[in-house]
Amino acid sequence: MIGLGLAGLTLPSGRVHAAGSDPLILALGDSLTAGYGLPEGEGLVPQLAAALAAAGRPAQVENAGVSGDTTAGGRARLDWALGGLPRQPDLVIVALGANDALRGIAPEEAEANLGAILDTLGRKGLPVLLVGMLAPTNWGPDYRKAFDAIYPALAEDHDVPLDPFILEGVALEPSLVQPDGLHPNAAGVKKMAARLAPVVIQALDLGKAPKLRD
């Protein structure tokens, strides 16, 4: 890890980093974060960085999205993802769970993995934005009710900001998704990034690390 040195400035979030540098954001996710099926530069990470810059809050956004990853996979590689950064991030966006829902993984298992991720970030004192997912209807109403409740419960338990649904305004819109009907196209990602940018800015300003569970 590269040392930050003595020169630094305090952001509204209370994080300190090298003078003149932009906030560092780690986006931990799956194919929705990785930019599946899109040319380089059109995925969520570069489009979110562009949206933040357009809003007057430029940031370095690092892509830790792995297509096909579940909450268990994200939990397993969290330390590796953090260790690959030049310094501690000013915000970690946790956007996992889509593949758990598609595969019908037990909601309590997904919740346990996400909770462990938040606990790890809390112990490290790293601010978090939790980004939610909604379950498909094919597993039945009981599964969907249990899965959809994961993210609000975790956000409350860990006292972190929540964006309830990463695909808000994009899912099920034919003009905004790829032919597979699941992944957003470039226009869909641009809409996602524009919607998420102010949420990310608020999370940066808040600078809230997860509260550890008892």
Side-chain angles (χ1 to χ4, degrees):
M1 299 290 285
I2 300 175
L4 299 182
L6 297 178
L9 60 87
T10 303
L11 297 175
S13 63
R15 303 289 293 172
V16 177
H17 56 79
S21 68
D22 294 329
L24 176 61
I25 300 172
L26 179 69
L28 181 73
D30 46 41
S31 58
L32 298 175
T33 304
Y36 174 86
L38 297 172
E40 185 176 357
E42 293 188 358
L44 181 59
V45 165
Q47 292 216 47
L48 177 59
L52 290 170
R57 293 292 297 272
Q60 178 184 350
V61 188
E62 292 293 327
N63 194 343
V66 173
S67 294
D69 217 358
T70 62
T71 56
R75 177 181 181 179
R77 63 185 174 84
L78 176 59
D79 286 335
W80 176 84
L82 291 169
L85 298 176
R87 58 180 173 85
Q88 282 198 333
D90 299 284
L91 182 70
V92 178
I93 300 172
V94 178
L96 289 159
N99 290 305
D100 297 67
L102 288 174
R103 298 178 190 183
I105 291 173
E108 58 268 23
E109 182 178 335
E111 184 171 14
N113 290 326
L114 289 168
I117 290 171
L118 295 177
D119 281 337
T120 296
L121 296 172
R123 285 192 293 270
K124 295 178 182 293
L126 299 177
V128 165
L129 170 63
L130 180 62
V131 179
M133 173 54 60
L134 300 177
T137 59
N138 56 296
W139 299 115
D142 290 342
Y143 181 92
R144 187 171 189 181
K145 180 180 179 181
F147 187 91
D148 293 357
I150 290 173
Y151 298 91
L154 285 170
E156 182 176 357
D157 289 347
H158 290 271
D159 194 22
V160 293
L162 169 69
D163 181 77
F165 185 36
I166 190 171
L167 291 171
E168 180 67 38
V170 173
L172 304 179
E173 290 290 339
S175 64
L176 299 177
V177 297
Q178 297 179 41
D180 62 11
L182 296 173
H183 295 93
N185 58 25
V189 172
K190 185 174 183 179
K191 184 171 183 176
M192 290 167 62
R195 189 188 63 78
L196 282 170
V199 181
V200 170
I201 290 170
Q202 289 177 357
L204 278 169
D205 289 344
L206 188 62
K208 183 170 285 189
K211 182 177 68 176
L212 298 179
R213 297 174 295 182
D214 295 332

